[in-house]
Amino acid sequence: MPTSTTLCVDCHSNPSSLEIRKRCLCHGCFRKYVASKILKRMETYRFKNQVGNAKKRLLLPVSGGVSSLVLLEVLDAQIKKQLDQQGRTAYDLVLVHVASQESDRDEGEKWCSSLRSCFELHTYLPVVRLSDVFEVDGQVEAALQLLGLTRQESETDGHFLVRVFTSARSATARSDLRELLLKRLIVATAKAQNCDGVIWGHSDSSLAAKALSEVAKGRGGSVPNELADGPSPWGLNFNYPLRDLFKTELQLYLGTSAESVRGCLLEHKENEDTPVSLRSTSIDTLLSTYITSQGQKYPSVMANVVRTASKLQAQGTAVGPGCRLCVMPITTGSETHELCYGCERMKQDIRE
Amino acid sequence: MPPVLSIFERETHETIVGSKLFQRGERIAIGASGGKDSTVLASILKTLNERHDYGLDLCLLSIDEGIKGYRDDSLETVKRNAVQYDMPLEIVGYDELYGWTMDQVVAQIGKKGNCTYCGVFRRQALDRGAAKLGIKHVVTGHNADDIAETVMMNLLRGDLPRLARATSIVTSSAASDIKRSKPLKYAYEKEIVLYAYHKKLDYFSTECIYSPEAFRGSARALIKDLEKIRPSSILDIVKSGEDMAALVPPELSTAVACSGDNEEAATGCGSTNGRSSGGEMAVLEKRLAVEEAAQYRETEIVLPANGNSLVQETLQVKGGSSIHDKKKPARKKVVKQVMGRCDKCGYLSSQSICKACMLLDGLNKARPTTEITVSAEEEEGSTTLMRHVAALEISAS
Ligand SMILES: [Zn+2]
Ligand SMILES: [Zn+2]
Ligand SMILES: [Zn+2]
């Protein structure tokens, strides 16, 4: 633990108050450190990398959790600075919030307007619900049919979505489905809004958990695609600017943010009911717990998982048509497959 | 015969045929530890070889590490197996292969460090043993659970080349004479246990006397939990491993220190990096954290007086650069390694001297010493040696 006499190793003038990755920093320098890690991952969208006058439109999904708030705060500051210094911005942010519960749209709108009062420069889309995926994504129903899930006549989007989830017989399949539908919703929304890319708020910790979880679900072949910055198989650019930061660091950062920003933090809502036994836990939850618990003792080892998995070569879509559901490359050998191994595996847990 | 048995036999046959594992007339050494995996492998290969007329010449190959009392029971089991399956048995001792038994190594360097030796020696032992017998194909009892564990473990320790090797059913490199394969690759451990039970096979329940190394221990616990959630995750991870293996960039996939450097057998005294829990994991944690800090350090790096060689190694690789630097910190170059042969033993190695010979060298230099009892100071001493060895390993891999 740093003592009060230890100076910050970056500015050499303030007393340090935090020890971050074996370096003693003051609050100000810690905030600079976090911002620099994020902005380094946004280089593609800087003025100097702009082609012609093509200003990019980027979709930023904000859940209201720690990660998305920190990301928004840092990007907002960058945009403000660009406006101050150059009178224009290198990119525009389009914010979208997905209501946590199907019925929570009004709550969501209320929250969005409080967020807007903190960060007013950006475009805010109306709050969307997961069931809106049927509205915006023209292919999703055909994809779900491959899992044996067909909308009944006159069934509303909301009811169909509920039926989709109840037909998933394992927590793992439910969480897998939710992730897939959420991704399809975000991607379709981005495309509908003419966005060039999506900025994801995954921290290093959540990417590590995701990588291990995909491996455990038989989706190992898509891990490099899932982790890559840049063009994605979805036909949009994906960026993960928080990839070099631990969840705990983001929490520390938000702790030093302005009261008004901290006030925007939405209580973390569990997607699943708190599992009573291991058997009813999803693989996603298990791996995320694993990364968190092991990360307390071995933070760098856990962080290194993402770097290791990112060394794998992402497969272009050139290898052939991807999976109809998750769009990732199919490696099962047979050309007649429409679903990848991981989605086929998920299908085994889905029964009407 | 209960249906589980015939299903298991049919599936194993399909794996063998589908992967074209064997050729008629081939001599095959079954790496036999006396444990359930290798006993089941021997039993099922004998059955299938006769039923489907593979035309294989099968024998059992056992390694005696020379740990008094430890192998006695398991070697007795293997000897009985040889009679039961009517297969010739060859037992090759560490003393024959290396000139040192593990007991002698322990006496020389103390208890703490011996697992490094055990691991390095073990990796080469089966291949060296087979070479002694003029056999070019060794089969081992690795099952799907072992492979899933190794996939997760190597993801955690950041070793993609080993991840790739662990998942392939046959491993051999252009320069190697010995082919290794895993006919039980797609078999769940549970199936193997059931098969052994129903066939009333005579095997030795090897409780490893060493606690598993931290990475393997962590991965093992994880696999067990995953299996409870979804039993098929074991094969799902094997599939993931195969798919990831295909994506390992070529410049990395040749960077395996030694072709005999197979992922360790999880059977018997599998992975052993010491009783000190957290050993390898803590070392990697420290190294990564130091690398990270070095990237940001503006001032001259001052090594602590007792700076261990691992740290030094790392700092040489990373250039110090400040947080505001525009240029990226120097990154470790992946050096493409070319397989050659060890100058000393002729064994396949990426270095001019293979790891085993390097360790032997150290042992032999210090040979004429008095008998050492393991005291508290001795434990201290061997820790330093461990560090030295660990540093050698880093530079060699
Ligand atoms: Zn400072
Ligand atoms: Zn898929
Ligand atoms: Zn050698």
Side-chain angles (χ1 to χ4, degrees):
Chain A
M1 272 291 104
T3 60
S4 53
T5 50
T6 314
L7 283 182
C8 167
V9 298
D10 271 356
C11 64
H12 304 292
S13 57
N14 297 326
S16 67
S17 48
L18 296 159
E19 191 185 310
I20 301 296
R21 307 195 190 199
K22 312 262 178 250
R23 303 168 67 244
C24 297
L25 297 175
C26 70
H27 270 99
C29 291
F30 167 64
R31 286 181 69 83
K32 269 188 225 156
Y33 158 85
V34 170
S36 77
K37 286 246 169 187
I38 295 174
L39 297 179
K40 200 178 101 201
R41 294 290 178 180
M42 290 294 288
E43 295 255 302
T44 2
Y45 297 115
R46 288 174 62 153
F47 284 119
K48 62 171 189 195
N49 294 323
Q50 229 171 38
V51 183
N53 244 355
K55 181 152 116 176
K56 300 288 185 199
R57 239 172 106 78
L58 303 174
L59 189 76
L60 176 66
V62 278
S63 68
V66 173
S67 305
S68 62
L69 278 186
V70 171
L71 181 54
L72 175 58
E73 189 182 352
V74 170
L75 296 184
D76 178 77
Q78 183 186 36
I79 287 174
K80 269 193 190 127
K81 196 169 154 199
Q82 289 176 348
L83 278 177
D84 283 353
Q85 294 177 350
Q86 330 219 11
R88 63 196 176 106
T89 66
Y91 59 92
D92 285 331
L93 285 183
V94 179
L95 273 59
V96 64
H97 176 67
V98 183
S100 57
Q101 302 288 323
E102 281 297 295
S103 50
D104 276 357
R105 204 173 196 157
D106 292 346
E107 292 265 311
E109 287 295 354
K110 226 184 282 169
W111 177 76
C112 272
S113 57
S114 69
L115 192 67
R116 187 194 285 253
S117 61
C118 280
F119 308 104
E120 50 198 6
L121 290 170
H122 321 290
T123 306
Y124 286 74
L125 298 182
V127 171
V128 292
R129 294 166 302 186
L130 195 50
S131 59
D132 291 334
V133 70
F134 300 119
E135 207 70 39
V136 288
D137 183 335
Q139 264 105 56
V140 68
E141 289 195 38
L144 286 175
Q145 277 184 18
L146 297 172
L147 299 177
L149 297 166
T150 311
R151 185 199 289 260
Q152 283 158 5
E153 226 172 299
S154 77
E155 194 173 25
T156 63
D157 289 347
H159 284 135
F160 183 36
L161 185 71
V162 170
R163 202 159 55 79
V164 164
F165 283 129
T166 45
S167 59
R169 301 302 158 118
S170 68
T172 300
R174 248 184 333 269
S175 132
D176 230 9
L177 266 177
R178 181 178 296 278
E179 286 298 308
L180 277 171
L181 292 177
L182 192 61
K183 187 167 258 179
R184 292 192 75 119
L185 171 66
I186 298 295
V187 166
T189 306
K191 286 179 177 167
Q193 293 293 324
N194 292 316
C195 290
D196 306 280
V198 180
I199 308 292
W200 298 99
H202 298 72
S203 64
D204 193 337
S205 323
S206 64
L207 285 176
K210 193 177 152 111
L212 292 183
S213 177
E214 298 290 69
V215 170
K217 292 184 291 188
R219 300 180 181 278
S222 56
V223 163
N225 278 326
E226 295 275 4
L227 300 180
D229 274 339
S232 77
W234 294 93
L236 286 172
N237 281 325
F238 279 5
N239 282 80
Y240 299 88
L242 303 182
R243 67 163 65 238
D244 299 317
L245 293 157
F246 302 152
K247 189 75 190 269
T248 47
E249 292 168 338
L250 298 172
Q251 280 158 346
L252 275 176
Y253 184 93
L254 192 67
T256 61
S257 292
E259 179 70 49
S260 56
V261 178
R262 274 183 287 146
C264 291
L265 182 66
L266 280 181
E267 282 305 309
H268 185 65
K269 60 262 160 195
E270 291 293 320
N271 275 338
E272 293 171 81
D273 308 323
T274 336
V276 283
S277 74
L278 187 59
R279 219 171 283 270
S280 56
T281 310
S282 74
I283 289 179
D284 291 343
T285 307
L286 177 79
L287 267 313
S288 144
T289 312
Y290 175 81
I291 288 286
T292 310
S293 63
Q294 294 283 292
Q296 283 164 2
K297 204 168 169 196
Y298 307 113
S300 308
V301 171
M302 295 305 130
N304 195 44
V305 169
V306 180
R307 267 184 281 169
T308 300
S310 303
K311 282 185 202 147
L312 294 168
Q313 294 167 322
Q315 282 172 304
T317 33
V319 253
C323 170
R324 295 266 306 275
L325 192 55
C326 74
V327 315
M328 293 301 166
I330 297 177
T331 57
T332 8
S334 164
E335 313 76 36
T336 55
H337 278 92
E338 292 188 286
L339 295 177
C340 68
Y341 179 92
C343 288
E344 286 286 0
R345 181 63 197 77
M346 179 178 71
K347 186 182 176 179
Q348 290 172 23
D349 288 3
I350 293 172
R351 277 184 306 275
E352 284 265 27
Chain B
M1 187 161 66
V4 273
L5 297 196
S6 50
I7 291 172
F8 182 61
E9 286 173 357
R10 200 181 59 231
E11 284 175 350
T12 308
H13 173 62
E14 279 163 11
T15 304
I16 289 169
V17 175
S19 313
K20 297 191 180 70
L21 281 193
F22 304 127
Q23 289 173 326
R24 275 200 85 77
E26 211 177 353
R27 283 182 78 198
I28 308 288
I30 302 169
S33 66
K36 66 171 167 10
D37 297 299
S38 61
T39 305
V40 165
L41 180 62
S43 166
I44 200 168
L45 279 186
K46 180 184 171 62
T47 304
L48 295 177
N49 190 32
E50 287 166 5
R51 182 182 302 158
H52 300 284
D53 188 28
Y54 292 161
L56 299 177
D57 182 3
L58 299 169
C59 77
L60 299 172
L61 170 60
S62 284
I63 303 297
D64 185 356
E65 295 92 341
I67 303 173
K68 219 170 184 54
Y70 172 60
R71 273 291 176 223
D72 296 356
D73 292 336
S74 56
L75 285 178
E76 281 313 310
T77 312
V78 180
K79 282 176 194 161
R80 286 196 305 275
N81 289 158
V83 177
Q84 289 153 1
Y85 306 141
D86 188 24
M87 282 180 201
L89 165 66
E90 295 288 345
I91 299 175
V92 186
Y94 270 23
D95 46 353
E96 286 172 75
L97 293 176
Y98 302 111
W100 288 78
T101 67
M102 272 316 289
D103 280 342
Q104 289 169 334
V105 174
V106 173
Q108 177 77 39
I109 63 160
K111 268 192 179 162
K112 259 195 184 162
N114 70 68
C115 292
T116 306
Y117 291 81
C118 194
V120 172
F121 288 170
R122 174 187 315 279
R123 279 172 215 151
Q124 291 191 2
L126 274 180
D127 291 356
R128 288 188 180 216
K132 259 180 104 86
L133 303 174
I135 297 180
K136 299 215 154 108
H137 193 165
V138 177
V139 292
T140 54
H142 291 95
N143 58 44
D145 296 53
D146 298 332
I147 293 169
E149 188 179 296
T150 310
V151 167
M152 282 300 188
M153 178 178 82
N154 284 312
L155 261 185
L156 292 173
R157 51 202 276 239
D159 194 335
L160 290 177
R162 278 219 184 120
L163 184 152
R165 291 185 67 80
T167 54
S168 56
I169 189 156
V170 181
T171 46
S172 60
S173 86
S176 171
D177 299 336
I178 315 275
K179 184 169 144 186
R180 283 240 206 165
S181 56
K182 313 173 187 111
L184 301 181
K185 178 186 172 186
Y186 297 110
Y188 292 109
E189 191 169 78
K190 285 197 168 139
E191 293 179 286
I192 290 170
V193 171
L194 271 179
Y195 190 82
Y197 173 80
H198 284 297
K199 288 270 251 180
K200 301 190 174 55
L201 297 187
D202 179 10
Y203 67 88
F204 178 68
S205 318
T206 25
E207 274 303 317
C208 181
I209 57 168
Y210 304 108
S211 57
E213 189 282 314
F215 277 116
R216 189 173 283 281
S218 190
R220 184 170 298 171
L222 190 56
I223 299 291
K224 293 287 169 219
D225 282 350
L226 284 167
E227 191 189 13
K228 279 179 204 133
I229 293 179
R230 187 188 255 179
S232 78
S233 3
I234 287 165
L235 281 180
D236 296 340
I237 294 169
V238 172
K239 165 72 177 160
S240 282
E242 290 171 350
D243 286 349
M244 287 190 290
L247 303 175
V248 174
E251 69 270 22
L252 278 182
S253 50
T254 45
V256 180
C258 180
S259 101
D261 224 2
N262 274 292
E263 78 296 340
E264 287 165 40
T267 47
C269 156
S271 46
T272 50
N273 220 9
R275 292 137 182 271
S276 51
S277 65
E280 200 199 343
M281 217 155 167
V283 169
L284 179 61
E285 174 63 33
K286 194 170 174 188
R287 178 164 70 84
L288 291 169
V290 168
E291 272 181 29
E292 176 92 36
Q295 279 185 31
Y296 283 97
R297 205 151 292 179
E298 273 175 317
T299 48
E300 193 71 15
I301 297 150
V302 186
L303 280 173
N306 61 343
N308 81 37
S309 37
L310 270 182
V311 177
Q312 223 155 357
E313 181 98 13
T314 310
L315 295 182
Q316 281 164 5
V317 171
K318 295 276 170 181
S321 60
S322 93
I323 190 169
H324 306 298
D325 262 5
K326 286 278 153 51
K327 63 173 192 288
K328 288 184 186 146
R331 301 201 69 204
K332 193 169 183 168
K333 273 250 167 70
V334 180
V335 184
K336 190 166 174 166
Q337 286 177 313
V338 185
M339 282 298 171
R341 289 191 181 273
C342 170
D343 289 346
K344 294 221 157 171
C345 68
Y347 194 83
L348 193 78
S349 167
S350 58
Q351 310 290 315
S352 61
I353 306 286
C354 79
K355 264 192 220 172
C357 288
M358 220 149 53
L359 291 174
L360 282 173
D361 226 32
L363 282 173
N364 291 333
K365 269 183 199 145
R367 185 150 227 175
T369 53
T370 48
E371 198 73 19
I372 296 162
T373 50
V374 182
S375 63
E377 300 101 276
E378 195 48 46
E379 299 258 342
E380 262 318 297
S382 66
T383 315
T384 326
L385 182 66
M386 270 293 282
R387 230 179 257 152
H388 171 69
V389 171
L392 284 180
E393 278 192 292
I394 296 274
S395 58
S397 58

